[in-house]
């Protein structure tokens, strides 16, 4: 009966609540909480062993057959929809409190929901991770897991067809920033000032999310893999004596037994939330919310990182040419501060007026406009995530503490990047296109004025990370997981998503989260 039920679930991929008449309690060897960017990969790889049973639990629906989701050109149409958790943030002292952090509520997670920009993180980022206690996560060790991702996930480089993109690249070279292939070994191994055409995890107009690459078609999944959609995990039951996860509870009241291991892949906000609701976190904070503390782990929810972003917008003299794929198709990396060893700023050039926040603050906009988003690659400001109550339905307190670093590194990089963006657009290739700067406008000139504008209208690259930090759990009291991604103090629980970042990587996160999924699955299989 159980094997028949498994086949029924994986073929139809229905919510667990619709099956509650058949199943109020069942058990699996491995339960993956979160069918997102990493979770889809972990579940599918573990199910390659026919002798184990695996369950992936996803809070949103399936992506299969949904053209709005699968069409990479329509990524912006997903923001703020039913496919988006759309998290708000706490009041910011120095940044924009109106920012909404889009997190995907759909199979494939943010890989089903983002702009598809695909990078291997530079070697320097991983070598720094290892120095911080993430043993075995150096550049050489992680590269083979990227390679496994690329066996499944198709990558395409934007073709140099758009004349406005070409104007950006040409202008970058005129200010002595060389063009480089973003997938080259030179970019990864010798990370330095460069510009170029981005890669996307796509094939033509169709995105290659982890769900598409590893799970589609859902009707052909092996019988030992169960995928439950529209199902929210509300709590882990952890045995206080053995310190093992025994059961996963869902919003429908179902109890899913864990025979071997549980893996959290809920993302930067929901993985620490689930840990805290389950009694794993800073003891005094849990007690204040009447949550029994099973493991006192003060790092849960700390170390919240991001790529803070601002934007300059120009009105165009000419009609903006149609994008090749998704409107943000060229990129620049540069070192703005003399003390930085590697590029500390990242630009994405946009074939539109990215006026999400500029418009709300009264800056003009235009149908015929282009923009340059500027972000800090290694921001020093660090925030945190807190529970608001012991009810899983209540929103988190998410406080990034943007631009609060005492060194003012983030502010200095943003101001310097702003000035460079202006310098690039003043170059001759833009003469045909450049009509006038409309946000903020050329009257904004002093460093103080530039800083105020950048922080006022800032947004996010949607790259939160770090809230279940990986490190040496014997030496670092704020490390939540060790190098095997095991949660300190719980024997059969791992975390595998961007929350495990010890610090921020210098590029877009999605492909690195896929790599984490591959590496996590391999570590479990080796044990």
């Amino acid at each position: 009966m159980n094997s028949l039920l498994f086949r029924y679930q994986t073929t139809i991929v229905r919510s667990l609540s619709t099956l509650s008449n058949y199943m109020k309690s069942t058990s699996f060897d491995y339960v993956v909480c979160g069918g997102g960017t990493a979770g889809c990969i972990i579940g599918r790889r573990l199910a390659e062993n026919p002798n184990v049973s695996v369950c992936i639990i996803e809070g949103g629906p399936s992506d299969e057959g949904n053209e709005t989701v699968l069409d990479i050109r329509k990524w912006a149409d997903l923001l703020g929809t039913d496919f988006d958790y759309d998290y708000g943030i706490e009041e910011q002292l120095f940044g924009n409190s109106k920012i909404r952090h889009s997190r995907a509520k759909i199979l494939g997670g943010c890989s089903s929901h983002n702009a598809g920009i695909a990078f291997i993180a530079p070697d320097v980022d991983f070598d720094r991770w290892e120095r911080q206690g993430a043993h075995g996560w150096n550049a050489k060790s992680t590269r083979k897991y990227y390679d496994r991702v690329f066996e499944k996930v198709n990558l395409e480089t934007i073709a140099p067809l758009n004349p406005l993109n070409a104007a950006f690249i040409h202008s970058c070279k005129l200010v002595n920033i060389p063009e480089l292939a973003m997938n080259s070994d030179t970019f990864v191994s010798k990370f330095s000032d460069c510009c170029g055409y981005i890669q996307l995890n796509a094939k033509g107009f169709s995105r290659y999310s982890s769900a598409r690459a590893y799970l589609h078609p859902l009707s052909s999944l092996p019988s030992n893999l169960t995928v439950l959609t529209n199902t929210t995990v509300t709590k882990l039951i952890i045995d206080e004596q053995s310190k093992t996860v025994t059961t996963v509870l869902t919003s429908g009241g179902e109890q899913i037994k864990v025979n071997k291991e549980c893996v959290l892949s809920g993302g930067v906000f929901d993985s620490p939330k689930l840990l805290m609701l389950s009694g794993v976190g800073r003891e005094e904070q849990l007690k204040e919310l009447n949550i029994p503390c099973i493991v006192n782990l003060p790092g849960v929810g700390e170390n919240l990182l991001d790529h803070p972003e601002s934007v300059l917008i120009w009105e165009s003299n000419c009609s903006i040419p149609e994008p090749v794929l998704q409107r943000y198709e060229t990129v620049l990396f540069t070192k703005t501060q003399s003390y930085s060893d590697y590029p500390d700023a990242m630009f994405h050039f946009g074939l539109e007026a990215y006026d999400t926040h500029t418009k709300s603050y009264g800056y003009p906009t235009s149908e015929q406009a282009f923009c340059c988003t500027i972000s800090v690659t290694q921001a020093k400001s660090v925030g945190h995530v807190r529970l608001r109550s012991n009810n899983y339905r209540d929103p988190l307190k998410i406080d990034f503490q943007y631009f609060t670093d005492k060194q003012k590194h983030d502010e200095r990089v943003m101001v310097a990047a702003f000035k460079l963006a202006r310098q690039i657009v003043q170059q001759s290739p833009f003469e045909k296109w450049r009509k006038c700067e409309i946000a903020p406008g050329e009257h904004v000139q002093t460093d103080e004025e530039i800083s105020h504008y950048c922080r006022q209208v800032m947004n996010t690259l949607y790259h939160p990370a770090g809230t279940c930090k990986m490190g040496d759990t014997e030496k670092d009291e704020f490390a939540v997981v060790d190098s095997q991604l095991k949660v300190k103090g719980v024997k059969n629980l791992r975390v595998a998503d961007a929350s495990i970042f010890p610090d921020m990587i210098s590029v877009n996160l999605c492909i690195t989260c896929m790599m984490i999924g591959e590496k996590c699955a391999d570590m479990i299989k080796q044990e």
Side-chain angles (χ1 to χ4, degrees):
M1 178 62 183
N2 280 342
S3 62
L4 178 62
L5 180 60
F6 290 162
R7 285 194 292 273
Y8 176 70
Q9 288 172 296
T10 53
T11 300
I12 307 298
V13 194
R14 305 178 73 175
S15 72
L16 184 56
S17 59
T18 64
L19 295 166
S20 59
N21 291 333
Y22 301 92
M23 161 185 138
K24 273 291 182 182
S25 176
T26 190
S27 64
F28 299 88
D29 293 322
Y30 299 101
V31 178
V32 182
C33 301
T37 305
C40 288
I41 296 173
I42 296 166
R44 186 64 185 88
R45 287 301 195 192
L46 292 178
E48 290 175 347
N49 179 355
N51 299 316
V52 302
S53 58
V54 183
C55 180
I56 300 172
I57 307 174
E58 167 54 36
S62 169
D63 63 317
E64 190 172 26
N66 189 321
E67 287 307 313
T68 302
V69 173
L70 296 174
D71 190 337
I72 195 72
R73 298 170 296 180
K74 298 179 179 179
W75 65 271
D77 296 342
L78 301 172
L79 302 178
T81 68
D82 290 342
F83 299 126
D84 186 358
Y85 284 105
D86 193 31
Y87 291 106
I89 65 173
E90 298 297 292
E91 191 74 20
Q92 297 295 292
L93 185 62
F94 298 115
N96 181 9
S97 303
K98 297 180 182 180
I99 291 173
R100 307 293 300 184
H101 265 267
S102 175
R103 297 287 89 190
K105 188 178 182 181
I106 192 167
L107 196 63
C110 289
S111 72
S112 292
H113 201 278
N114 61 12
I117 298 174
F119 281 102
I120 296 176
D123 289 353
V124 294
D125 291 340
F126 290 117
D127 291 340
R128 188 177 61 252
W129 280 17
E130 185 160 66
R131 290 196 299 272
Q132 294 181 43
H135 306 298
W137 288 79
N138 57 58
K140 183 178 180 180
S141 297
T142 54
R143 182 60 69 89
K144 67 179 181 180
Y145 296 105
Y146 278 114
D147 291 341
R148 290 185 188 179
V149 169
F150 300 145
E151 291 173 2
K152 292 279 193 177
V153 176
N154 191 72
L155 294 187
E156 290 189 356
T157 300
I158 295 290
L161 302 175
N162 188 291
L164 192 47
N165 284 340
F168 177 73
I169 296 296
H170 189 186
S171 295
C172 288
K173 291 192 281 191
L174 289 176
V175 297
N176 298 316
I177 297 174
E179 183 178 1
L180 189 65
M182 295 293 109
N183 62 339
S184 67
D185 286 338
T186 301
F187 173 81
V188 175
S189 63
K190 299 178 181 178
F191 186 47
S192 60
D193 287 21
C194 62
C195 65
Y197 291 87
I198 63 169
Q199 281 193 305
L200 302 178
N201 47 299
K203 189 171 186 178
F205 296 139
S206 184
R207 72 164 66 247
Y208 252 81
S209 65
S210 59
R212 177 185 174 182
Y214 287 80
L215 299 182
H216 291 190
L218 298 170
S219 60
S220 297
L221 291 176
S223 61
N224 66 331
L225 175 59
T226 299
V227 178
L228 304 176
T229 56
N230 297 306
T231 304
T232 300
V233 175
T234 61
K235 186 178 180 180
L236 308 178
I237 302 301
I238 302 173
D239 183 84
E240 292 194 48
Q241 298 300 317
S242 65
K243 294 293 192 293
T244 58
V245 177
T246 62
T247 310
V248 173
L249 303 184
T250 76
S251 52
E254 294 81 11
Q255 300 182 10
I256 300 175
K257 302 295 182 182
V258 178
N259 298 333
K260 293 181 181 292
E261 285 202 43
C262 180
V263 182
L264 299 189
S265 291
V268 173
F269 303 136
D270 286 308
S271 284
K273 179 180 183 179
L274 191 54
L275 284 173
M276 290 185 282
L277 288 171
S278 305
V280 180
R282 186 183 289 274
E283 186 172 15
E284 55 265 36
Q285 292 174 3
L286 299 181
K287 285 184 175 179
E288 288 175 2
L289 300 174
N290 295 316
I291 299 174
C293 182
I294 296 174
V295 178
N296 180 21
L297 205 52
V300 176
E302 301 298 321
N303 193 47
L304 177 59
L305 312 169
D306 195 16
H307 284 143
E309 174 190 70
S310 198
V311 64
L312 293 87
I313 305 173
W314 291 265
E315 188 171 14
S316 176
N317 279 316
C318 312
S319 296
I320 301 298
E322 286 296 312
V324 178
L325 280 178
Q326 46 70 290
R327 299 194 296 281
Y328 292 85
E329 302 173 341
T330 50
V331 67
L332 174 153
F333 295 91
T334 188
K335 185 174 78 168
T336 69
Q337 305 300 310
S338 59
Y339 58 79
S340 296
D341 294 325
Y342 302 98
D344 50 31
M346 174 169 54
F347 298 22
H348 291 87
F349 182 69
L351 305 173
E352 65 175 356
Y354 186 41
D355 56 11
T356 300
H357 293 293
T358 58
K359 190 175 180 180
S360 67
Y361 281 103
Y363 294 95
T365 189
S366 173
E367 289 295 321
Q368 299 301 328
F370 56 90
C371 69
C372 193
T373 69
I374 50 178
S375 58
V376 185
T377 61
Q378 295 287 321
K380 306 301 181 186
S381 302
V382 178
H384 56 252
V385 170
R386 300 276 192 272
L387 291 179
R388 201 172 296 274
S389 77
N390 60 13
N391 188 330
Y392 79 92
R393 293 184 178 88
D394 287 341
L396 289 163
K397 296 179 180 178
I398 301 171
D399 186 359
F400 281 90
Q401 301 190 14
Y402 290 120
F403 295 101
T404 59
D405 63 301
K406 293 180 180 179
Q407 312 96 311
K408 294 194 176 296
H409 168 84
D410 300 355
E411 183 180 14
R412 285 202 296 267
V413 170
M414 192 68 81
V415 170
F418 179 101
K419 292 177 179 178
L420 178 58
R422 274 184 168 171
Q423 183 185 358
I424 290 169
V425 175
Q426 286 301 314
Q427 300 304 307
S428 58
F430 275 105
E431 286 181 3
K432 171 186 174 181
W433 307 96
R434 184 185 62 247
K435 183 176 182 180
C436 63
E437 181 185 302
I438 57 176
E442 294 187 8
H443 63 283
V444 173
Q445 287 294 329
T446 69
D447 286 2
E448 291 77 15
E449 290 170 338
I450 292 170
S451 174
H452 173 75
Y453 164 80
C454 286
R455 291 182 290 105
Q456 178 190 46
V457 306
M458 70 167 288
N459 199 15
T460 169
L461 268 177
Y462 305 108
H463 293 168
T467 51
C468 296
K469 175 184 176 183
M470 173 171 52
D472 188 332
T473 52
E474 298 302 316
K475 298 178 181 178
D476 183 353
E477 66 170 324
F478 288 99
V480 175
V481 300
D482 63 16
S483 299
Q484 299 295 306
L485 305 184
K486 294 181 178 180
V487 175
K488 181 179 181 180
V490 187
K491 293 179 181 178
N492 66 336
L493 178 61
R494 304 188 202 225
V495 180
D497 52 39
S499 70
I500 63 99
F501 284 24
D503 62 14
M504 185 55 83
I505 61 174
S506 303
V507 295
N508 298 63
L509 275 55
C510 183
I511 298 299
T512 295
C513 291
M514 292 186 184
M515 179 276 290
I516 289 170
E518 283 281 6
K519 187 168 171 60
C520 177
D522 193 47
M523 290 188 294
I524 293 172
K525 291 164 95 172
Q526 287 182 15
E527 290 187 5

